[in-house]
Amino acid sequence: DQQVKQNSPSLSVQEGRISILNCDYTNSMFDYFLWYKKYPAEGPTFLISISSIKDKNEDGRFTVFLNKSAKHLSLHIVPSQPGDSAVYFCAATIGGGADGLTFGKGTHLIIQP
Amino acid sequence: DVKVTQSSRYLVKRTGEKVFLECVQDMDHENMFWYRQDPGLGLRLIYFSYDVKMKEKGDIPEGYSVSREKKERFSLILESASTNQTSMYLCASRTFSPSTDTQYFGPGTRLTVL
């Protein structure tokens, strides 16, 4: 059973517009969420995270929103740039534990000129 | 900056061979992880370690083992490689505090088993 779901395998957005990537989770024990960006043949790069005690975290062009009641989080990228084209993974964990991250299957974001 | 290195970027092995994938981190982190990434499946946890000589099975440990003899080094071992172990293998090291919990990844090893 998939505990972290990214239901859009791909997303195409025009350069300069907002990109919104979505993620849903089922395990109510998760209390820390992360977004990673991955280029082909490279390791994932940490982008931004959010603790369940917050509903929003912002870092430059990236903002993550968390809706605990809906078990939903989203990553907003504004404005979208060509270098943002990559696969984005949503991940969740139980903070403070030593367990690994549980990842979604990823969304391939394509920024069109 | 956290640095996680993996011994090989690309590796080609034959079925039945024993394969060692090495990972080293330079930040004195206690927790280290091995994942594999496959198209359409995301990243899946194979094994993790929360201290020297300690190891725990992840979600897909079958066909793999690990070794953590030193804090900075975490090795993934394929005792007898099979074609279904062709994948991208990613090592991660974890830092955490009361307010943050983040894993940093190495560049990955693309393993092909023929």
Side-chain angles (χ1 to χ4, degrees):
Chain A
D1 182 34
Q2 227 188 321
Q3 297 186 70
V4 177
K5 298 178 185 177
Q6 294 177 256
N7 292 320
S8 300
S10 66
L11 176 68
S12 186
V13 175
Q14 213 163 7
E15 182 179 354
R17 299 284 187 108
I18 182 171
S19 295
I20 300 176
L21 297 101
N22 293 304
C23 178
D24 297 291
Y25 62 97
T26 57
N27 187 344
S28 56
M29 296 293 291
F30 289 143
D31 60 1
Y32 202 83
F33 306 89
L34 306 92
W35 283 95
Y36 284 85
K37 173 182 179 180
K38 188 179 184 299
Y39 294 118
E42 292 185 14
T45 303
F46 169 72
L47 269 180
I48 192 168
S49 62
I50 188 166
S51 164
S52 60
I53 61 173
K54 294 185 175 181
D55 53 20
K56 177 183 174 181
N57 189 25
E58 196 170 348
D59 184 0
R61 295 187 298 116
F62 302 93
T63 303
V64 56
F65 295 92
L66 175 63
N67 182 334
K68 288 188 291 293
S69 60
K71 293 192 178 70
H72 176 83
L73 62 155
S74 60
L75 174 68
H76 293 210
I77 306 173
V78 183
S80 300
Q81 299 175 354
D84 295 331
S85 294
V87 177
Y88 289 78
F89 290 99
C90 170
T93 189
I94 300 169
D99 294 356
L101 295 169
T102 301
F103 282 86
K105 293 184 178 182
T107 296
H108 185 194
L109 176 64
I110 302 159
I111 306 300
Q112 294 183 332
Chain B
D1 267 1
V2 175
K3 189 160 185 185
V4 181
T5 57
Q6 294 182 229
S7 51
S8 305
R9 292 301 302 274
Y10 300 94
L11 212 51
V12 180
K13 295 291 182 181
R14 295 204 177 275
T15 300
E17 279 193 80
K18 192 169 186 174
V19 182
F20 292 87
L21 302 181
E22 299 278 326
C23 175
V24 177
Q25 51 95 2
D26 66 355
M27 287 300 293
D28 202 36
H29 292 164
E30 291 179 347
N31 300 162
M32 295 184 73
F33 305 82
W34 276 105
Y35 297 85
R36 64 179 278 179
Q37 185 206 355
D38 300 288
L41 295 177
L43 278 75
R44 294 178 292 166
L45 180 65
I46 305 171
Y47 264 97
F48 63 99
S49 169
Y50 50 88
D51 206 346
V52 175
K53 297 194 185 294
M54 308 300 284
K55 59 186 178 184
E56 292 285 342
K57 292 180 180 178
D59 300 318
I60 51 164
E62 296 78 20
Y64 303 94
S65 62
V66 290
S67 173
R68 184 106 182 262
E69 294 297 318
K70 292 185 178 181
K71 194 174 189 179
E72 67 270 19
R73 190 178 297 267
F74 190 33
S75 303
L76 180 69
I77 303 153
L78 287 66
E79 295 290 343
S80 177
S82 62
T83 55
N84 63 11
Q85 292 178 310
T86 291
S87 187
M88 168 73 107
Y89 289 88
L90 294 157
C91 174
S93 172
R94 174 177 179 245
T95 181
F96 65 94
S97 70
S99 57
T100 62
D101 186 345
T102 306
Q103 291 188 20
Y104 295 94
F105 285 82
T109 296
R110 169 68 66 185
L111 172 66
T112 302
V113 183
L114 302 175

